């Protein structure tokens, strides 16, 4: 996690964008707990407090904050598998600093020298080769409670579609990079547990306001390939849909509920002060 | 035009300072009879003999009744005659009177001109009667103050900022060169504050400007990994200041945090950056 934090601070376009990255983090948290109004209210309150304290800081103060944070993370070069895979980190652990793309909001694309006379009138304009391939920034990120942050730093790095590698390609023969510590928990784990709970009949299926959760079977390497295959399917092959009834079976629910009931603990666990007491109590019961 | 020379490795990481002083800036101050090494930090100002052997003077910053969330520090160092000027977080510029030898250094004046933290100070030897201004100070709002040194320093001109910090400033033959947090380099007439040249030089905040005074070359380095070298001149017919781009050097994947010419003719320069354990050197071919 420290390397992800370092990456976000380092690649921050403007010092003030440190706050925008924090807002991206809060937006992601809001996405997790959107069905729980009490926690959502707390997150929004955090938002308001952050805006109150940091919203009025000057660019110079933000730069001092950023520099202090960077000094804290100096000389840390831990390689992270998702960063190596996305080529945002080199194999020596240093982050890639691109010299192309949009300039920060408020910065002009480098390459112009303008000369003025004593009355402030522009008298000469020259272009020079600055070495990068920059373009103007499209728009400024929003600092409001809800808004388009524009900045991608601080958003979920795992939400991008990436092909699942089923075999080792020539470039990544190095086994060490495969066993590198991953920085984020598996997002499917929560879904698996939820699905199990629904099968057991113990959890209500809440209609989510966001995209459909749960599993979707994909027989292809990426979603794009699946869509492409669907488009190129010949007309003559008809649909054959199989219905697998895994939930909503009243009789099975009752059966499962009875089995689950048998697992319940009948006695209250005894409160004891020490391990020795526990052992004695157990022996007394024999 | 420039080729890479052998780098100077740094013995240990810059982060591993033994007393955790969090040094912000270091500068060798060349005075008429001695050279002092000056360090500014979050605690105060330290002055050493030029070889770093003996600490000659320590000035603790007065935080007074400042709120605990306010960062207190000194930043911006320059020498002018027998004075050493150091900027502070409040905008005050401290002027120290330095004797020819010994530790009897006295705080002689506190200059008021800035409302936000000072970022950098630049001086040049007085050019005679034509150029009265010989010191310029810059701050976090981009404001530049032009001063005339003396037993009492006098504020000559103020050049307003535009909401962007000015981390680095230089002074050459009455021309102020300022590098800003939005990657711009601007040249002003020191005595009047008139803008002469505006360069969209970098895509990120500029961290350093340096001058090669013998040839009028300006070096700019920024967090966008680039170092640019410019040639300053005065047009013979119009008398206007002109700028020409000489060279661009990219230090791949390195956020440059310092760059300097190694000689007054600008034939070589040194660069270092964040997370870099060496000083890179380039010299012209």
């Amino acid at each position: 996690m420290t390397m992800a934090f370092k990456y976000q601070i380092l690649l921050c376009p403007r010092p003030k964008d440190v706050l925008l990255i924090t807002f991206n983090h809060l937006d992601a948290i809001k996405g997790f707990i959107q069905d729980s109004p009490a926690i959502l209210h707390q997150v929004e309150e955090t938002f308001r407090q952050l805006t109150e304290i940091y919203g009025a800081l000057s660019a110079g103060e933000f730069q001092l904050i950023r520099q202090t944070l960077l000094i804290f993370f100096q000389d840390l070069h831990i390689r992270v598998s998702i960063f190596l895979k996305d080529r945002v980190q080199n194999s020596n652990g240093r982050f890639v600093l691109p010299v192309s793309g949009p300039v920060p909001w408020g910065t002009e694309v480098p390459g112009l020298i303008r000369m003025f006379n004593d009355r402030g009138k522009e008298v000469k304009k020259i272009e020079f080769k600055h070495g990068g391939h920059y373009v103007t920034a499209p728009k400024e990120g929003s600092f409001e409670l809800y808004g388009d942050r524009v900045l991608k730093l601080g958003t979920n790095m795992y939400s991008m579609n990436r092909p699942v590698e089923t075999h080792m390609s020539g470039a990544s023969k190095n086994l060490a990079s495969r066993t590198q510590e991953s920085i984020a928990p598996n997002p499917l784990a929560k879904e698996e547990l939820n699905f199990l709970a629904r099968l057991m009949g113990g959890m209500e299926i809440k209609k989510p306001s966001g995209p459909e959760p749960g599993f979707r079977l994909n027989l292809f390497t990426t979603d794009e390939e699946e869509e492409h295959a669907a488009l190129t399917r010949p007309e003559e092959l008809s649909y054959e849909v199989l219905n697998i009834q895994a939930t909503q079976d009243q009789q099975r629910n009752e059966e499962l509920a009875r089995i689950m009931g048998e697992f319940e603990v009948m006695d209250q666990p005894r409160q004891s002060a020490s391990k020795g007491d526990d052992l004695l109590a157990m022996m007394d019961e024999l | 035009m420039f080729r890479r020379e052998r780098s100077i490795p740094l013995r240990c990481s810059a982060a591993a300072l033994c007393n955790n002083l969090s040094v912000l800036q270091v500068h060798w101050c060349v005075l008429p009879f001695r050279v002092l090494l000056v360090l500014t930090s979050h605690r105060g100002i330290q002055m050493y003999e030029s070889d770093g052997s003996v600490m000659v003077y320590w000035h603790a910053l007065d935080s007074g009744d400042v709120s605990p969330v306010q960062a207190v520090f000194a930043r911006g160092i320059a020498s002018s005659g027998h004075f050493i000027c150091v900027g502070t977080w409040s905008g005050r510029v401290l002027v120290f009177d330095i004797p020819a030898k010994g530790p009897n250094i006295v705080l002689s004046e506190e200059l008021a001109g800035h409302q936000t933290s000072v970022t950098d100070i630049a001086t040049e030897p007085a050019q005679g009667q034509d150029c009265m201004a010989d010191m310029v100070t810059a701050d976090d709002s981009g404001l530049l103050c032009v001063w005339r040194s003396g037993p009492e320093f006098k504020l000559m001109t103020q050049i307003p900022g535009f909401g962007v910090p000015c981390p680095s400033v230089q002074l050459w033959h009455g021309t102020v060169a300022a590098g800003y947090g939005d990657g711009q380099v601007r040249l002003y007439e020191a005595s009047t504050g008139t803008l002469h040249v505006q360069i969209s030089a970098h895509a990120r905040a500029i961290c350093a400007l340096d001058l090669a005074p013998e040839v009028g070359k300006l070096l700019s380095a920024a967090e966008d990994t680039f170092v640019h070298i410019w040639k300053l001149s005065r047009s013979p017919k119009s008398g206007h200041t002109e700028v020409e781009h000489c060279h661009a050097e990219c230090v791949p994947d390195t956020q440059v945090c310092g760059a300097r010419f190694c000689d007054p003719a600008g034939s070589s320069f040194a660069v270092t950056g964040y997370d870099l354990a060496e000083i890179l050197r380039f010299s012209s071919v």
Side-chain angles (χ1 to χ4, degrees):
Chain A
M1 195 197 98
T2 48
M3 288 307 284
F5 193 87
K6 181 176 179 178
Y7 171 67
Q8 289 171 13
I9 302 283
L10 189 67
L11 261 77
C12 209
R14 299 176 298 177
K16 193 176 182 186
D17 289 341
V18 161
L19 191 54
L20 224 45
I21 293 172
T22 308
F23 289 167
N24 269 338
H25 294 162
L26 287 180
D27 288 345
I29 292 171
K30 276 197 265 183
F32 296 148
I33 48 92
Q34 60 193 342
D35 296 327
S36 174
I39 309 177
L40 187 61
H41 177 74
Q42 285 178 321
V43 173
E44 287 179 353
E45 180 57 30
T46 308
F47 221 108
R48 272 185 276 274
Q49 291 199 15
L50 281 170
T51 307
E52 194 183 304
I53 295 174
Y54 295 101
L57 288 188
S58 69
E61 286 168 310
F62 269 118
Q63 180 67 329
L64 187 61
I65 289 174
R66 185 174 166 268
Q67 277 171 349
T68 310
L69 287 170
L70 283 176
I71 288 171
F72 183 77
F73 288 111
Q74 194 159 340
D75 296 331
L76 231 55
H77 298 296
I78 303 167
R79 284 182 287 271
V80 176
S81 56
I82 188 171
F83 290 152
L84 293 168
K85 197 169 188 178
D86 285 353
R87 290 184 217 285
V88 304
Q89 193 179 27
N90 294 323
S91 52
N92 61 4
R94 286 166 195 281
F95 290 118
V96 171
L97 299 180
V99 294
S100 57
V103 287
W105 181 259
T107 297
E108 286 180 17
V109 175
L112 203 57
I113 305 173
R114 297 164 65 195
M115 289 166 265
F116 305 87
N117 66 11
D118 290 331
R119 281 186 300 276
K121 184 166 165 287
E122 187 181 303
V123 292
K124 200 169 173 187
K125 193 151 77 170
I126 317 177
E127 284 187 16
F128 71 92
K129 278 186 99 65
H130 57 87
H133 295 95
Y134 296 103
V135 294
T136 39
K139 61 177 175 171
E140 187 177 16
S142 162
F143 286 87
E144 302 297 319
L145 190 58
Y146 289 93
D148 180 10
R149 312 290 174 208
V150 181
L151 197 59
K152 292 286 163 265
L153 288 172
T155 57
N156 184 2
M157 293 191 73
Y158 289 94
S159 62
M160 288 176 358
N161 269 328
R162 50 172 56 81
V164 175
E165 283 185 27
T166 52
H167 61 273
M168 301 285 263
S169 63
S172 57
K173 285 237 165 69
N174 184 6
L175 271 170
S177 70
R178 295 225 143 259
T179 55
Q180 285 290 330
E181 174 205 16
S182 181
I183 51 165
N186 188 348
L188 289 176
K190 182 170 177 271
E191 286 304 328
E192 286 175 23
L193 290 172
N194 284 344
F195 191 53
L196 179 63
R198 278 205 294 279
L199 285 173
M200 300 260 305
M203 183 169 130
E204 281 169 35
I205 305 168
K206 290 199 193 88
K207 257 293 165 247
S209 40
E212 180 80 46
F215 287 110
R216 182 172 60 78
L217 186 62
N218 184 352
L219 295 167
F220 296 83
T221 322
T222 64
D223 282 352
E224 284 84 40
E225 280 184 46
E226 185 188 44
E227 280 166 24
H228 182 70
L231 289 169
T232 56
R233 245 176 102 266
E235 284 301 315
E236 50 270 19
L237 291 177
S238 60
Y239 269 115
E240 224 187 274
V241 179
L242 296 168
N243 266 318
I244 302 171
Q245 185 72 272
T247 60
Q248 306 291 331
D249 190 318
Q250 193 61 26
Q251 192 187 11
R252 278 188 74 241
N253 267 359
E254 281 170 8
E255 184 69 20
L256 279 171
R258 185 186 66 75
I259 295 169
M260 261 172 61
E262 286 175 4
F263 286 130
E264 268 187 68
V265 176
M266 288 305 167
D267 298 321
Q268 283 298 321
R270 250 178 264 258
Q271 301 293 327
S272 30
S274 69
K275 249 192 192 170
D277 283 51
D278 266 335
L279 270 176
L280 284 173
M282 268 170 57
M283 284 165 66
D284 283 344
E285 280 178 4
L286 285 173
Chain B
M1 208 177 123
F2 281 85
R3 66 148 192 268
R4 172 107 180 250
E5 301 277 5
R6 202 155 46 114
S7 302
I8 303 165
L10 297 169
R11 283 276 181 82
C12 52
S13 157
L17 285 165
C18 50
N19 56 357
N20 202 20
L21 196 54
S22 56
V23 171
L24 280 160
Q25 272 188 352
V26 181
H27 190 74
W28 262 301
C29 292
V30 178
L31 303 152
F33 297 106
R34 69 200 295 193
V35 175
L36 287 181
L37 182 67
V38 179
L39 263 75
T40 60
S41 69
H42 283 276
R43 305 248 199 88
I45 303 159
Q46 293 178 326
M47 300 192 191
Y48 292 83
E49 293 294 355
S50 60
D51 60 357
S53 57
V54 176
M55 185 166 85
V56 173
Y57 184 70
W58 158 248
H59 177 93
L61 285 171
D62 174 28
S63 38
D65 40 29
V66 163
S67 84
V69 297
Q70 172 67 51
V72 167
F73 53 85
R75 191 171 58 186
I77 312 165
S79 61
S80 179
H82 59 93
F83 295 107
I84 288 181
C85 299
V86 182
T88 64
W89 59 276
S90 63
R92 288 288 173 107
V93 177
L94 307 176
V95 182
F96 296 94
D97 195 338
I98 316 290
K101 59 180 183 189
N104 196 19
I105 293 169
V106 173
L107 173 62
S108 79
E109 220 185 330
E110 279 190 41
L111 307 177
H114 292 280
Q115 305 299 317
T116 59
S117 307
V118 174
T119 50
D120 198 18
I121 307 179
T123 56
E124 70 167 344
Q127 300 289 303
Q129 286 305 311
D130 291 320
C131 268
M132 305 275 270
D134 56 359
M135 179 166 97
V136 61
T137 54
D139 72 16
D140 262 349
S141 72
L143 171 70
L144 302 168
C145 290
V146 182
W147 310 81
R148 184 178 65 201
S149 67
E152 270 184 26
F153 279 66
K154 186 168 179 297
L155 179 62
M156 308 282 292
T157 327
Q158 283 195 317
I159 304 171
F162 41 102
V164 179
C166 176
S168 193
V169 73
Q170 288 288 338
L171 188 57
W172 183 66
H173 289 182
T175 300
V176 172
Y180 293 87
D182 64 354
Q184 278 199 25
V185 172
R186 292 182 170 205
L187 302 185
Y188 302 90
E189 181 74 46
S191 51
T192 60
T194 317
L195 174 67
H196 282 319
V197 182
Q198 187 176 329
I199 315 173
S200 305
H202 291 276
R204 293 285 190 277
I206 289 175
C207 63
L209 286 183
D210 198 26
L211 273 172
E214 275 178 24
V215 293
K217 282 214 177 133
L218 180 71
L219 177 155
S220 67
E223 290 178 358
D224 64 354
T225 77
F226 281 95
V227 175
H228 289 296
I229 301 193
W230 318 86
K231 177 85 173 65
L232 272 56
S233 58
R234 234 173 247 279
S235 156
K237 11 176 231 186
S238 59
H240 297 140
T241 312
E242 294 198 338
V243 171
E244 183 195 319
H245 181 251
C246 298
H247 181 72
E249 192 71 49
C250 174
V251 188
D253 300 332
T254 303
Q255 230 173 52
V256 177
C257 64
R260 282 279 181 270
F261 280 120
C262 297
D263 60 279
S267 60
S268 61
F269 63 92
V271 185
T272 193
Y274 174 71
D275 257 355
L276 220 51
E278 57 184 352
I279 298 173
L280 305 171
R281 294 189 309 139
F282 297 85
S283 58
S284 58
V285 290

